[in-house]
Amino acid sequence: ASPSCGTVRLARRALLAIGTMGNSSSQKVMEELEAELAKPEQELVELLTLQDATAKLLCAFCFIFMGARAAAKAKSGSWVESLIRTFLTAFGGGTLVPLILGKPPVFLDSDVLFCMTLLAWALTHLTPVGRWVEYNQALRLPLNLGGYIFKAVKCCSTVNTAAKVLSASALYPIPLMGPIVLGVLGSTGGMFLPFDKGLAAVSKGLSVAFEIPLACSAFFHIIVNDQSGFLGTTLRQLTGPVTNETAVLAAVGWFAGTYLTKELLDSSFDPFEASGYTYLFNAVIPARTYCLEEAAAQTAPVGSGRVYEGKVKAHTATEEDLKKSKAE
C-alpha cells in the first residue's frame, strides 16, 4: 500500500499517539501528530472509491459472488455449463466492453479475478453458502453492498477508458455517446450473457438496473471528461469544480444508496420515478404505441389487420375483435 493509503495513515496516527503518550515532552512528536490530525479525512473516501488495494479486492469478490449467485439460479446441464455461465454473468460487461475496445476480457487479464471466480462458483454451486446468503440479510447486505461499490467504481473507470480509446467526431470536442454507452454496458452486460437471454432484460423497458448506470455514466463523463464542450462547462457552472474522486464518490453513493433503499425500505424504489423519467418511458410511450396500434386496427379492413389487446397479437381481425378494441 502507498503511504497515502487510508489504512497506512490510520496506523501512523496510532503509532504517533503511542509515542506521544510515552514522551509527552517531545515537541517533534506532538507537531507530527497535530499535522496528521490536521489532514483532510480521506480514509473513508479512499475506501469507498477503492483506492485501498485491500478494499478493492474484497469488493471485487463481492461483485463476482453476486454474479455467481445469479448464475446459480439458472438450470445448467453440467458443471462446465454452470462454470461458464458464472464467468459470463459475473463478467458480462467485463467481456463485451474490452472486446469492443480491442482488449482481452478482464478475467483473462487477471489471474486474481479468475481464481476469485472459481472460488465464487464453488461456494454457490457446490456448497450451501449461496443459499445461506440468499435468505440471510445479515450476510446478503454487506456482500451486495461491496458488489455495488465495485460496480460503481468500474462503471466510472470504463467511461474513462472508453473516452481515451474512442475518437471525437466533428460534432463535439470529445467522444460523447460511446463512453456513456460502454459505461452502461460494462455494468449491465451480464444481463445479456449468455446470448440465449436475448433482450429479455429490456423487454419491459428500462429498470433501475439500467437507469442508475446510465445516469452515473452520463454525469461522470460530462463532469470529468468534457472540459471544453458546452455540456461540461454548463454542468460545472451548476455544480462547481468536481474532481475525478468526487465524481466517483457520487456514483458510489448513487449505486449503493439505491441498493440500500431497495433492500431496507422499499423494494420497488425507483429514484427516477419522481422526476417523471420512468413515467415517460414506461407509461407514456407504451400508451402512445397502444393508441397507434388501436387506430391501425380500427381503420384496417376486416380480415387484414391486427388488434391490440394488452400486447400486439398477430391474428386476423374480425368484427367482434374491432368492437372489443374500440370498447377498450
Side-chain angles (χ1 to χ4, degrees), residues 2-233:
S2 63
S4 62
C5 183
T7 53
V8 174
R9 285 218 304 267
L10 286 174
R12 176 171 169 77
R13 290 184 183 183
L15 292 175
L16 286 173
I18 294 173
T20 303
M21 289 187 293
N23 185 12
S24 57
S25 61
S26 175
Q27 184 66 26
K28 182 178 180 180
V29 173
M30 289 294 293
E31 291 177 354
E32 289 185 8
L33 178 59
E34 291 176 357
E36 285 291 324
L37 296 177
K39 292 181 178 179
E41 294 297 330
Q42 287 290 323
E43 287 81 0
L44 182 59
V45 173
E46 291 173 354
L47 290 175
L48 290 177
T49 55
L50 303 187
Q51 298 177 48
D52 185 283
T54 303
K56 186 175 183 178
L57 286 177
L58 290 176
C59 289
F61 180 77
C62 291
F63 174 77
I64 295 171
F65 194 79
M66 287 173 56
R69 282 170 46 211
K73 296 177 182 179
K75 293 183 179 180
S76 299
S78 67
W79 68 269
V80 178
E81 181 182 356
S82 66
L83 180 60
I84 295 175
R85 188 180 297 274
T86 298
F87 272 97
L88 293 179
T89 303
F91 293 105
T95 299
L96 295 175
V97 172
L99 291 177
I100 292 173
L101 297 178
K103 299 181 179 181
V106 293
F107 62 87
L108 296 180
D109 201 33
S110 171
D111 290 338
V112 175
L113 294 180
F114 195 97
C115 293
M116 281 185 175
T117 309
L118 293 177
L119 176 60
W121 170 80
L123 291 175
T124 53
H125 289 75
L126 305 180
T127 72
V129 172
R131 291 190 294 274
W132 294 345
V133 172
E134 192 70 30
Y135 297 107
N136 190 326
Q137 189 183 61
L139 296 174
R140 185 176 67 251
L141 188 66
L143 286 172
N144 285 356
L145 184 60
Y148 278 104
I149 291 175
F150 183 82
K151 181 182 285 192
V153 174
K154 294 307 292 182
C155 177
C156 296
S157 66
T158 299
V159 171
N160 269 339
T161 301
K164 296 175 182 177
V165 174
L166 300 179
S167 302
S169 67
L171 300 177
Y172 206 73
I174 65 168
L176 186 60
M177 302 307 300
I180 296 175
V181 172
L182 292 181
V184 177
L185 183 60
S187 299
T188 60
M191 298 182 183
F192 302 102
L193 295 180
F195 286 118
D196 59 359
K197 294 180 180 179
L199 298 178
V202 293
S203 62
K204 297 182 180 179
L206 291 181
S207 63
V208 178
F210 287 89
E211 293 170 350
I212 299 299
L214 176 60
C216 290
S217 297
F219 172 79
F220 180 86
H221 183 46
I222 293 173
I223 201 74
V224 173
N225 296 322
D226 187 7
Q227 296 296 322
S228 57
F230 72 91
L231 291 176
T233 303

